């Protein structure tokens, strides 16, 4: 398996623009997580899905952020409108829906909002 | 809510010295615990995990961690540091049983290895 695939790897956008980050989880995994990593706040869980259903979105910072998982092999994280403080590395991770299994991470998307 | 605390955001050791990175969890029921490593500009990789099968867990690259319920700890150790161990290390927790498999990370410890 190719692992968790995220695209794009880097994104530079202007403030106010819409940004869409994409994730393809590992085949057979039924849990998917979106994290944001910054120097100030560390690794924050934004939202996670089990069997394509959003379970906990309490980490989503504002209504400007939304996430979808239309099927088991694809998820998006959208920011509209983007702001400079959204600049961070966004990670997607997937796992089996079992507490004793580890999550596998993608390489991340480095987002810069100017 | 369950959480983990990593004491020491920066740790520096000499090459060949013992590595000790600290992690304490807060939970009334022992959770599942994980250690991940992140190299610059990369995603996180699993080093090892505790799933209640054994309290001393061995992972990759000679890392190991011991689960101590009485101390609510899961500290990561390596007998002899190598230059290639320089990275950021994260402890993570997942609740045991229950309806959630939420995975929560600590704030990370940046390990520097001096020649």
């Amino acid at each position: 398996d190719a692992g968790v695939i995220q695209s794009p790897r880097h994104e530079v956008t202007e403030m106010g623009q819409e940004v869409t980050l994409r994730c393809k989880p590992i085949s057979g995994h039924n849990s998917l997580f979106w994290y944001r990593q910054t120097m100030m706040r560390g690794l924050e869980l934004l939202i996670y899905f089990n069997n394509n259903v959003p379970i906990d979105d309490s980490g989503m910072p504002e209504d400007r952020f939304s996430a979808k998982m239309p099927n088991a092999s694809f998820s998006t994280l959208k920011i509209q409108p983007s702001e400079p403080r959204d600049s961070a590395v966004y990670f997607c991770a997937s796992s089996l829906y079992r507490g004793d299994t580890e999550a596998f991470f993608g390489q991340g998307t480095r987002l810069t909002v100017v | 809510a369950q959480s983990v605390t990593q004491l020491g955001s920066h740790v520096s050791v000499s090459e060949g010295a013992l590595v000790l990175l600290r992690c304490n969890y807060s939970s009334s029921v022992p959770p599942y615990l994980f250690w991940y490593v992140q190299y610059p500009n990369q995603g996180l990789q699993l080093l090892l995990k505790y799933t209640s099968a054994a309290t001393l867990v061995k992972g990759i690259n000679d890392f190991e961690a011991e689960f101590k319920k009485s101390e609510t700890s899961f500290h990561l150790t390596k007998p002899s540091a190598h230059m290639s161990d320089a990275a950021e290390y994260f402890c993570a927790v997942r609740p045991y049983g229950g309806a959630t498999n939420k995975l929560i990370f600590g704030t990370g410890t940046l390990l520097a290895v001096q020649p």
Side-chain angles (χ1 to χ4, degrees), chain A residues 31 35 48 56 101-103, chain B residues 36 49 94 100-103:
Chain A
S31 291
Y35 291 89
Y48 78 97
D56 186 342
T101 58
E102 63 268 31
Chain B
Y36 282 81
K49 62 182 180 181
R94 240 177 176 171
T100 176
N101 62 340
K102 196 171 184 176
L103 183 62

Side-chain angles (χ1 to χ4, degrees), chain A residues 35-52:
Chain A
Y35 291 89
R36 178 172 68 176
Q37 186 176 36
T38 60
M39 290 289 290
M40 292 297 294
R41 302 174 68 90
L43 200 60
E44 303 172 274
L45 176 63
L46 301 177
I47 185 172
Y48 78 97
F49 297 81
N50 285 338
N51 297 315
N52 312 337

